[in-house]
């Protein structure tokens, strides 16, 4: 885990399993801590999910009054998109690094083929197993709406996701392939990942990467948070969302 002795000027977070249980609303205590943090420094949430997940998981419970909205930065689909709030219902897209239709079709076909070959393709899912998110293709083994209990038992040690990721990486060598959430694998353009998002964040805010802190649960080399750590951004690792309120309160105390 990377750390910094300096008080951060910006704090970035993963969403699923860092700020909230997978595909679930951010708990009230964490939302309150985030609001307190936004009173002091800019906050970025960067996640593999679509912007619609930010709307359902993060935004409803987050108090964005008192100027907090101006300090909130959202980066869906692993930083391949970047949005800022104009009004409660209006978000301005700063950029979107979409894949071509041909590339998205090729990645989707490879995912299904390799998942079936490895015995990881499930016939019963809660929604589509493969989602085309424009700038990202995501494989969710049980579907995006699978209950938490099912997700927790499908791949508790992450070996299934790692096997699929390792099979796809050489086939899709022109793309970035990383383990995502509890049952997912994310595919983006080569070099366009959470590290890319953090560099863009530094460019747009004028805040040096060394003056930021990133909080995430997948900072292991196979995880989709790892590029941020590899970039050299100071990081705080959590094993799950239950630890995050305490981390936020520690950061606030350091400011």
């Amino acid at each position: 885990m990377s750390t910094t002795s300096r008080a951060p000027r910006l704090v970035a977070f993963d969403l699923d399993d860092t700020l909230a249980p997978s595909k679930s609303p951010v708990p009230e205590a964490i939302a309150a801590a985030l609001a307190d943090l936004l009173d002091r420094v800019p906050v970025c949430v960067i996640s593999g999910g679509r912007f619609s997940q930010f709307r359902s998981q993060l935004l409803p419970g987050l108090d964005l009054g008192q100027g907090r909205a101006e300090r909130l930065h959202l980066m869906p689909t692993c930083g391949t998109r970047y949005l800022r709030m104009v009004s409660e219902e209006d978000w301005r897209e700063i950029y979107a690094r979409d894949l071509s239709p041909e590339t998205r079709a090729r990645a989707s076909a490879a995912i299904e083929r390799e998942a079936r070959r490895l015995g990881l393709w499930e016939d019963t899912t809660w929604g589509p197993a493969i989602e085309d998110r424009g700038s990202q293709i995501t494989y969710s083994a049980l579907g995006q709406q699978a209950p938490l209990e099912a997700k927790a038992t499908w791949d508790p040690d992450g070996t299934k996701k790692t096997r699929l990721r390792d099979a796809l990486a050489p086939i899709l060598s022109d793309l970035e392939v990383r383990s995502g959430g509890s049952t997912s694998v994310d595919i983006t353009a080569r070099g366009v990942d959470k590290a890319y998002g953090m560099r863009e964040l530094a460019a747009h805010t004028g805040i040096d990467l060394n003056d930021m802190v990133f909080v995430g649960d997948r900072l292991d080399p196979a995880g989709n948070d790892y590029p941020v750590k590899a970039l050299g951004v100071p990081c705080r690792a959590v094993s799950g969302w239950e630890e995050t309120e305490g981390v936020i309160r520690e950061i606030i105390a350091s400011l």
Side-chain angles (χ1 to χ4, degrees), residues 104-136:
R104 303 200 305 267
R106 176 166 56 90
S108 297
I111 289 171
E112 180 169 353
R113 183 178 66 249
E114 291 304 302
R116 288 186 182 279
R117 183 180 67 82
L118 294 169
L120 303 178
W121 186 264
E122 300 291 339
D123 293 324
T124 301
T125 62
W126 289 262
I130 299 175
E131 283 197 8
D132 182 344
R133 299 176 176 176
S135 56
Q136 177 177 292

Side-chain angles (χ1 to χ4, degrees), residues 82-236:
Y82 177 22
L83 296 101
R84 300 295 307 282
M85 189 175 188
V86 177
S87 67
E88 188 173 345
E89 295 301 323
D90 187 12
W91 288 79
R92 179 166 62 96
E93 192 169 72
I94 308 300
Y95 68 72
R97 305 295 185 240
D98 285 342
L99 299 166
S100 70
E102 295 78 13
T103 298
R104 303 200 305 267
R106 176 166 56 90
S108 297
I111 289 171
E112 180 169 353
R113 183 178 66 249
E114 291 304 302
R116 288 186 182 279
R117 183 180 67 82
L118 294 169
L120 303 178
W121 186 264
E122 300 291 339
D123 293 324
T124 301
T125 62
W126 289 262
I130 299 175
E131 283 197 8
D132 182 344
R133 299 176 176 176
S135 56
Q136 177 177 292
I137 301 297
T138 295
Y139 170 70
S140 299
L142 301 178
Q144 286 291 308
Q145 305 307 317
L148 293 177
E149 318 83 71
K151 289 184 177 185
T153 58
W154 186 78
D155 188 21
D157 60 0
T159 56
K160 291 180 179 178
K161 289 185 301 179
T162 299
R163 285 171 58 210
L164 181 58
R165 184 265 163 204
D166 290 348
L168 288 169
I171 296 170
L172 302 173
S173 58
D174 58 321
L175 300 173
E176 203 75 50
V177 184
R178 288 201 173 273
S179 293
S182 54
T183 64
S184 65
V185 172
D186 298 323
I187 298 173
T188 61
R190 169 65 69 183
V192 183
D193 52 19
K194 289 189 178 182
Y196 177 91
M198 295 298 289
R199 287 193 295 266
E200 288 287 333
L201 189 63
H204 280 83
T205 62
I207 298 173
D208 191 270
L209 292 169
N210 289 323
D211 290 323
M212 300 181 184
V213 166
F214 176 83
V215 182
D217 72 306
R218 290 302 315 277
L219 288 159
D220 55 286
N224 66 1
D225 294 333
Y226 181 75
V228 181
K229 182 178 180 180
L231 185 61
V233 176
C235 294
R236 292 288 302 267

